[in-house]
């Protein structure tokens, strides 16, 4: 049995972003329970030269949305980076997963060797579809979801590995 490009992209991206939304819900509940201004957690970072929680969530959303769109030869909806609350960040993730769920296997399957050009500053990175997904999109999303998890865990939010992994599929 083989795994398709669709199976390797959309379901894992949706799952990761849904898990991140649940992690953010725990962050919001923690802030409320401990009487912490939520903006403190949203602005927290692991190290001074790293992005804060808000930016980690925005980047995870952007990479997932734009990466899948490039595979599908679709235009990803633009989402402004203006979130300042947990509910706004969760809504951003929900918008992203709603978009991802519009992408069908027939749009993504067969893109393993598709040429994808990605502007990065003054340069352009060029990938084939499968390496783009496996070595750029998925690792980037996982990195930013993990970093968001780590920021909230570092701030005292009670999180465990299952929060990152999510509930097992039935």
């Amino acid at each position: 049995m083989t795994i398709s490009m669709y199976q390797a992209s959309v379901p894992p991206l949706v799952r990761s972003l849904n898990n991140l939304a649940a992690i953010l819900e725990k962050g919001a509940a923690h802030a409320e329970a401990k009487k912490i201004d939520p903006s403190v957690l949203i602005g927290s970072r692991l190290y001074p030269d790293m992005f804060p929680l808000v930016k980690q969530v925005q980047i995870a959303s952007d990479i997932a949305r734009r990466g899948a769109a490039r595979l599908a030869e679709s235009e990803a909806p633009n989402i402004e980076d203006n979130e300042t609350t947990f509910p706004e960040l969760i809504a951003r993730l929900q918008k992203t997963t709603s978009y991802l769920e519009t992408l069908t296997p027939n749009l993504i399957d067969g893109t393993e060797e598709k040429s994808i050009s990605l502007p990065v500053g003054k340069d352009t990175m060029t990938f084939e579809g499968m390496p783009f997904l496996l070595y750029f999109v998925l690792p980037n999303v996982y990195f930013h979801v993990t970093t968001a998890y780590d920021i909230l865990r570092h701030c005292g939010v009670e999180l465990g590995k299952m929060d990152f992994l999510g509930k097992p599929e039935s």
Side-chain angles (χ1 to χ4, degrees):
M1 176 182 241
T2 59
I3 184 170
S4 73
M5 285 291 284
Y6 175 84
Q7 291 168 319
S9 60
V10 173
L13 292 170
V14 168
R15 181 181 177 95
S16 292
L17 297 181
N18 284 338
N19 293 349
L20 179 54
I23 288 166
L24 294 176
E25 288 171 1
K26 283 192 170 189
H30 175 82
E32 186 175 332
K34 300 293 184 182
K35 308 226 182 304
I36 299 169
D37 180 347
S39 67
V40 171
L41 297 181
I42 291 168
S44 291
R45 54 185 82 218
L46 290 177
Y47 196 76
D49 68 352
M50 292 181 74
F51 288 128
L53 177 67
V54 62
K55 192 69 174 167
Q56 300 295 339
V57 174
Q58 291 167 343
I59 293 171
S61 164
D62 290 345
I63 297 282
R65 195 176 66 257
R66 294 176 185 156
R70 280 188 173 90
L71 287 172
E73 292 186 1
S74 172
E75 187 67 33
N78 188 40
I79 301 177
E80 290 188 39
D81 294 341
N82 58 9
E83 297 85 10
T84 59
T85 68
F86 280 109
E88 289 172 348
L89 288 170
I90 292 165
R92 178 192 186 100
L93 294 173
Q94 290 167 339
K95 285 179 201 167
T96 300
T97 58
S98 291
Y99 166 70
L100 292 173
E101 289 169 343
T102 69
L103 301 176
T104 58
N106 67 321
L107 294 173
I108 296 178
D109 285 345
T111 61
E112 293 86 350
E113 296 177 7
K114 176 184 177 202
S115 181
I116 296 175
S117 295
L118 180 67
V120 180
K122 296 177 184 177
D123 298 321
T124 299
M125 297 174 71
T126 303
F127 299 88
E128 285 187 347
M130 187 176 292
F132 174 67
L133 174 64
L134 297 178
Y135 309 134
F136 185 82
V137 175
L138 292 174
N140 264 291
V141 170
Y142 295 151
F143 173 85
H144 291 286
V145 170
T146 299
T147 304
Y149 168 101
D150 290 342
I151 289 168
L152 288 175
R153 185 66 192 102
H154 180 74
C155 289
V157 178
E158 291 186 24
L159 297 167
K161 187 188 288 188
M162 293 311 295
D163 293 299
F164 177 83
L165 295 175
K167 294 182 174 114
E169 298 288 320
S170 15

